[in-house]
Amino acid sequence: MPYVSALRCRECSRRYPLDPIHVCEFCFGPLEVVYDYEALARDLSRKSIARGPLSIWRYRELLPVLGEDLVDINAGFTPLIKAHRLGQALGLEELYIKNDCVNPTYSFKDRVVAVASTRARELGFDVLACASTGNLAGSVAAHAARAGMEAYIFIPSDLEQGKVLGAAIYGPTLVAVHGSYDQENRLCSELADHYRWAFVNINVRPYYAEGSKTLGYEVAEQLGWRAPDFAVVPLASGSLFTKIWKGLKELQQIGLLDDVSTHMVATQATGCSPIITAYEAGSMNIRPVKPNTIAKSLAIGNPADGYYALKTIQESEGAGAAVSDEEVVEGIKLLAETEGIFAETAGGVVVAGLRRLAQAGAIPRQALTVAFITGNGLKTQEAVAEHVQAPITIEPTLSAFQEALERRQATASARAG
Ligand SMILES: *Cc1c(COP(=O)(O)O)cnc(C)c1O
Ligand SMILES: [Zn+2]
């Protein structure tokens, strides 16, 4: 790889070859990809990037793949939308939505899986696998189908129906595990030692994680090569959060951004908020929790990158917020009713967290703020099904419609008092 030299331990800096490995043999620290930023600064420009494809692969030099044979279902380059009406509701004048609901499998996970599956194939794997909280399942299954690879997908047994079907349709071996995500993940770590499979978020995790940087790159490019003042992000393992920050800092390092003074804002649901709890206690120690929230895509009780997420908050002078499940539902509805975007529960967490922080004055009115909406609401219909108006059912006549309309208006005005 022209711009990637090695993996390196985040703790003791020992170097490793670009193999399917993820922890340091000496100190058990996580491994991370090392780039040659001088060469990247020399060779990359805003113009050269603009000539690339309208997908994450426009940043391929900044990703850890040889890249001759991409597993590509067209992940990324999703819309960045100025959110006038949501901004007005929250008292924010420069609010943008990064709408990752519209990725090929309807979540940001396509970014990480595109990179992981491409690298897995380069490393000679025939089988893709994952331990999923939900969205990863569909994305791995779709990429495996595209690559002609076999897929073993592990999901929690209480997963939302839309996510089960959204993975099953691609024809993987789908395994529902009784227990929490954390138990499922432990099982998959064991399986990764037994089978020569590429578990995208376990043994090839260093490559996988880099895919999230593209969210930072895209937002900066779409803002006209500016970094936002605030980035509001949902956290499960914490990986996405740390990598958006890494992506922005890299653009600065290679001279594509002048200044990065982004405050990274972490959001979780109170039913699973080990990272926010540590942040609020001023601690760098994550205490694992047993998740109980409708935000299932974020329900990781023992987050692998929790410590680094806390460091990212610290370094970026960021903030954090945890919100209740009721607020999550309100957040989903507010985003839908103001901007026409139907997000899953993780999006509700972000909007509700943003609302909290805007109301508290922690995000100033004029700040350039980006809310990262990472998954599609059609996958978590259970969360809002009871909270929307049922359709009016009528016979196909004018009078039936008019009567029904009068009844609806009467109940509405009675309710309004
Ligand atoms: C997986 C996921 C996240 C966060 O993932 P990390 O483990 O923190 O990288 C956020 N939103 C959605 C919708 C997800 O599926
Ligand atoms: Zn180490």
Side-chain angles (χ1 to χ4, degrees), residues 147-267:
M149 297 169 85
E150 235 189 303
Y152 288 84
I153 310 283
F154 295 81
I155 54 172
S157 59
D158 67 347
L159 193 59
E160 299 101 338
Q161 205 45 48
K163 288 179 185 168
V164 177
L165 183 58
I169 192 66
Y170 303 107
T173 301
L174 196 54
V175 185
V177 181
H178 285 299
S180 67
Y181 168 83
D182 299 280
Q183 291 171 303
E184 169 199 326
N185 189 46
R186 225 167 299 139
L187 166 65
C188 287
S189 296
E190 231 180 297
L191 295 177
D193 291 334
H194 263 78
Y195 300 95
R196 211 191 117 68
W197 297 349
F199 277 87
V200 297
N201 55 338
I202 301 175
N203 51 347
V204 295
R205 189 175 179 86
Y207 310 99
Y208 160 97
E210 293 293 291
S212 290
K213 296 189 307 185
T214 60
L215 262 170
Y217 301 151
E218 279 176 28
V219 162
E221 186 180 355
Q222 289 170 319
L223 288 171
W225 296 103
R226 267 189 310 166
D229 299 325
F230 287 84
V232 187
V233 181
L235 278 70
S237 72
S239 175
L240 166 66
F241 184 71
T242 63
K243 296 297 177 177
I244 290 173
W245 175 240
K246 182 181 180 187
L248 291 171
K249 298 298 281 184
E250 283 181 339
L251 293 183
Q252 183 178 33
Q253 196 164 354
I254 63 176
L256 297 183
L257 282 179
D258 297 330
D259 174 48
V260 176
S261 40
T262 307
H263 303 285
M264 295 296 300
V265 178
T267 58

Side-chain angles (χ1 to χ4, degrees), residues 85-92 95 334 351 354-355 358-359 365:
R85 292 204 350 111
L86 180 61
Q88 206 162 38
L90 301 181
L92 296 171
L95 177 62
L334 183 62
V351 173
L354 180 63
R355 183 166 72 173
Q359 273 169 0
R365 176 171 271 276

Side-chain angles (χ1 to χ4, degrees), residues 366-414:
Q366 272 95 21
L368 175 50
T369 300
V370 176
F372 289 81
I373 304 300
T374 49
N376 195 300
L378 286 173
K379 292 210 225 179
T380 62
Q381 296 181 35
E382 295 87 342
V384 288
E386 309 285 302
H387 302 274
V388 294
Q389 261 194 358
I392 309 170
T393 305
I394 59 165
E395 295 306 314
T397 65
L398 174 63
S399 61
F401 173 70
Q402 286 174 331
E403 279 163 31
L405 191 61
E406 274 163 30
R407 266 201 307 278
R408 161 83 38 119
Q409 282 164 349
T411 25
S413 60

Side-chain angles (χ1 to χ4, degrees), residues 74-147:
N74 211 25
F77 221 72
T78 55
L80 181 75
I81 294 150
K82 179 85 195 275
H84 296 281
R85 292 204 350 111
L86 180 61
Q88 206 162 38
L90 301 181
L92 296 171
E93 289 170 12
E94 291 290 322
L95 177 62
Y96 289 81
I97 302 291
K98 180 59 171 168
N99 184 9
D100 249 22
C101 302
V102 297
N103 268 304
T105 74
Y106 313 105
S107 86
F108 98 93
K109 291 293 197 300
D110 289 333
R111 299 172 182 277
V112 280
V113 177
V115 176
S117 54
T118 295
R119 186 67 194 138
R121 205 158 62 168
E122 291 174 356
L123 289 165
F125 286 99
D126 302 318
V127 179
L128 281 184
C130 69
S132 176
T133 58
N135 286 313
L136 193 56
S139 187
V140 170
H143 281 85
R146 175 77 174 161

Side-chain angles (χ1 to χ4, degrees), residues 241 264 266 275 279 309-320:
F241 184 71
M264 295 296 300
I275 299 172
Y279 163 73
L310 290 169
K311 276 192 40 173
T312 297
I313 298 179
Q314 223 172 38
E315 269 175 45
S316 70
E317 296 172 27

Side-chain angles (χ1 to χ4, degrees), residues 258-344:
D258 297 330
D259 174 48
V260 176
S261 40
T262 307
H263 303 285
M264 295 296 300
V265 178
T267 58
Q268 296 194 295
T270 46
C272 182
S273 56
I275 299 172
I276 303 302
T277 303
Y279 163 73
E280 285 174 347
S283 161
M284 294 302 279
N285 284 325
I286 306 274
R287 281 229 195 109
V289 300
K290 200 163 175 259
N292 179 19
T293 169
I294 57 169
K296 291 177 196 277
S297 54
L298 306 180
I300 297 184
N302 189 10
D305 292 289
Y307 170 75
Y308 298 103
L310 290 169
K311 276 192 40 173
T312 297
I313 298 179
Q314 223 172 38
E315 269 175 45
S316 70
E317 296 172 27
V323 297
S324 69
D325 282 1
E326 291 74 39
E327 288 176 275
V328 172
V329 172
E330 286 167 19
I332 293 172
K333 290 185 71 177
L334 183 62
L335 178 62
E337 290 172 10
T338 55
E339 299 297 338
I341 295 172
F342 183 15
E344 72 138 83

